[in-house]
Every structure is written in C-alpha cells, then in structure tokens.
Amino acid sequence: MPHEFELRKEVELDATPEQVWEAIATGPGVDSWFMGRTEIEPAEGGRGRFTMFGNSEGTTVTGYEPGKRFAFRGDGNPDGTFMAMEYLIEGRDHGSTVLRLVQHGFLGDDWETEFEAMGVGWDMYLHKLVQYLTYFRGRPATVVSAVRPQAAESAPAWAAIKDALGLPDTVRLGDPVRLAVDGLPPEDGVVDYTGFPAFLGLRTADGLYRFIHSGPKRGNVVVLGHHVFAENADQEHVEAAWRSWLSRLFPRPSRTHL
C-alpha cells in the first residue's frame, strides 16, 4: 500500500535569487549539481524529463514564479506512488538567498528505507549546490555517471575507493586528493563532503566528484555522479574512463565451469 510522506530541507546560499533560480529551475542549471540529466519546459503546465542510466521519468511543472517558487510533480506509477517537489526562494541581505524545498508524495512498501535515503541524499546534493554556486557558478557542466552493481560491502568498497584516491582510512574535510584516472589528465583537489557510509565528495579546480555506496539493502551498488566544468571535456570519453576505473576497482568474480 502506498505510504504518504513529506520531506523538508533548507539551505542558505551565497547567491542572488536569480542565480539560485537558474540553478534549480533550468535544465542546464540542474545538470550542474544534481544527478542525471534534466529537461524543463519553462512554464506552468510545461513538461519535464529526468534521465539517468537510460531510464527516463516525466514531470509536469505545477508552479513557475521566476525568482520565487518552482514546483513540479512526477508522473504517477500504476501502484499509486509518485513524488512532487516545491522550491521556495527567499532573498536575503547582501545578495544571499535561502532555499527551502518540500518533497512529498507516496512511496511503496519499502518506504522507510527510501525515505531515509532521500533525507541523507538531499543533504549531499544541497551541499553540492552550495559548492557549485560558490566555485563554478555559470559554468556549463559535463555530467558523468557510472554504476557498478554488487560491487562490495560498504567497508571493503570504501577501503578500495579511498586507496585508489590516495586518502587515509579516516577521511576529513579538506584532505588533499589526487585523481589519477587512466585516459584523463590527473587532477589535484580536496575532500569537500564526508557522508560515510553513503557518500564521499571531492572538489578540484574543474570538477565536483561524488562517490556513492547504496548499502546492503540496495545491493551494494557503487555509483559515480560527477560534474566536470572543464571547457574541453568530452562526455563520452570522460564517462568511459570512469566506468573503466570502476571496473578495475571492483572486478567481477571469475566463474568456475564444472
């Protein structure tokens, strides 16, 4: 039976209401900090689309007040589940803005696990929005997504990721990191988000990099959700390089034929 839910979050941003609107109510803006790819028809009643790993979900814009309020509702599922979002933008003194969001709708049978995951997920993505507006505002992003199902349990998975990034066992904000991915130029950066056992965030001069572990209830999946702001980045090439990085880090066990 579908279970009704409501989730509220708030964040203060060092940006004007107009800059925040561009980041949350336009496709290129959302693509600069959120997962997947987003398309938005800019009008109340307009259609939108969210696409990730080849799967697309349709949405309808239900509120469109530039600089103030943006809302949309996802297309419903046959079982009655759906999600809707509302963003409220409030300008403050000295050019800052408070962004409030309300996510509501109906979740399925495993609603408690899903609700918990959304809560911690929004904390990470709102932090990523802060980082985007602080360091990369107005720069178009190349969205890089990769996934490795059944990679490893949480502890060994994070141990492998931290080792590949040259990070210590205990990771702290500001720790230096070097991204060395075959086929891509090496980059130096810092840890900008720690949300273990689910998330790790890195920031370089040209990118925001996110490493996600789903946990055992969701199959121990490792997901990469990166945003590269380098002007010459080729999406297919960069994504293929990170997919290979994941494959080498978490190789499939060999099958024994009897």
Side-chain angles (χ1 to χ4, degrees), residues 46-142:
R47 292 291 291 167
R49 184 166 297 278
F50 170 72
T51 303
M52 188 171 183
F53 299 127
N55 297 316
S56 294
E57 300 176 2
T59 61
T60 299
V61 177
T62 56
Y64 195 86
E65 301 174 52
K68 296 181 179 180
R69 176 177 177 268
F70 177 62
F72 61 89
R73 185 188 190 281
D75 294 347
N77 298 308
D79 63 359
T81 58
F82 75 91
M83 293 190 190
M85 288 288 304
E86 180 182 38
Y87 292 99
L88 299 172
I89 299 171
E90 179 185 340
R92 294 287 179 88
D93 294 337
H94 309 296
S96 65
T97 300
V98 171
L99 176 67
R100 298 181 177 90
L101 70 84
V102 181
Q103 185 175 18
H104 63 96
F106 287 85
L107 298 173
D109 292 339
D110 195 24
W111 70 270
E112 291 177 305
T113 299
E114 196 167 353
F115 182 79
E116 181 182 1
M118 286 192 299
V120 296
W122 270 118
D123 291 339
M124 187 273 287
Y125 279 107
L126 289 176
H127 178 82
K128 199 173 187 181
L129 174 61
V130 171
Q131 298 291 292
Y132 162 66
L133 288 171
T134 301
Y135 296 99
F136 303 104
R137 183 189 308 162
R139 293 173 62 179
T142 297

Side-chain angles (χ1 to χ4, degrees), residues 164-179:
L165 298 172
L167 288 169
D169 290 339
T170 301
V171 178
R172 295 180 173 85
L173 292 177
D175 280 350
V177 65
R178 184 168 179 80
L179 298 180

